[in-house]
Amino acid sequence: MRLGAAVFLVSASLLTLAPSGPPALPERMADTGGGTQLITAQASRTSSTTGTLTWWDRRDGRWVKTGSSAARFGAKGLVEGGSRRQGTNTTPTGLYDLPYAFGIKAAPRGTKAPYRRVHQNSWWCQDNDSRAYNRWTEPRAADCRAAESEHLISYGTRYAYALVIGFNYERPVRGRGAGIFLHVNGRGATAGCVSVPRDAMQRILDWADPARRPHIAIGTASGPTSIVRY
């Protein structure tokens, strides 16, 4: 073999072995929930009210970006989920499951997640004194005050389509917060939810597959609430 050909082959091998860029965000995370679908919602810092939401698929042993959108967070930014307090207008950071979807509109075509349609008597209880705390209740539970609940149909565009984020959901802690969703954008920052444009929410519902155990990770680019810590 001529020297020039040998040098070319060695160079080509080195290029093949060289990394093509930094690892995808999920590859750097401490935990992705154990499934093969993941949503990441990342803000630059805890005081941010905007950021980026990306959904990922695990294929052939690696995470591949499937879609991305601008995202909005709480009007008071983000806070560690375990120390969040209700009524603070902050988005809880952490890794959460996505129990089910809901909406005022019919489920978009292709939706595979369990989808609950909002009716006139659909409520989300946020009353700390109610047995229905942090749960959908239809009609509103007798011990759940309307002033301490969300009348879901009154949220119009925002709850046209939504996914429940499993923050404080499985075993609710009173006072930590209730009704944290991924939903359609309103006019500005949220009261603690994560929101995206309507078309992005529709694409996410078409993509999310419960059989693949999708989760959402919410966090910042660095610091104690860095998304890679979850």
Side-chain angles (χ1 to χ4, degrees), residues 103-178:
I104 294 171
K105 300 291 186 180
R109 182 177 299 177
T111 299
K112 293 173 281 296
Y115 191 90
R116 191 164 187 178
R117 192 76 181 268
V118 173
H119 300 111
Q120 186 62 40
N121 60 346
S122 303
W123 294 76
W124 195 277
C125 183
Q126 298 182 351
D127 189 336
N128 283 282
D129 296 325
S130 173
R131 289 173 294 178
Y133 178 68
N134 202 19
R135 288 291 185 273
W136 180 300
T137 175
E138 189 174 311
R140 179 170 51 85
D143 69 344
C144 186
R145 292 168 290 174
E148 297 293 329
S149 304
E150 288 191 355
H151 190 201
L152 298 178
I153 203 164
S154 69
Y155 283 75
T157 299
R158 285 168 289 176
Y159 290 172
Y161 309 107
L163 271 165
V164 176
I165 295 176
F167 166 73
N168 200 32
Y169 187 76
E170 186 176 354
R171 297 182 182 86
V173 176
R174 311 287 168 153
R176 184 161 291 170

Side-chain angles (χ1 to χ4, degrees), residues 9-21:
L9 288 173
V10 170
S11 300
S13 297
L14 289 174
L15 285 172
T16 300
L17 294 173
S20 58

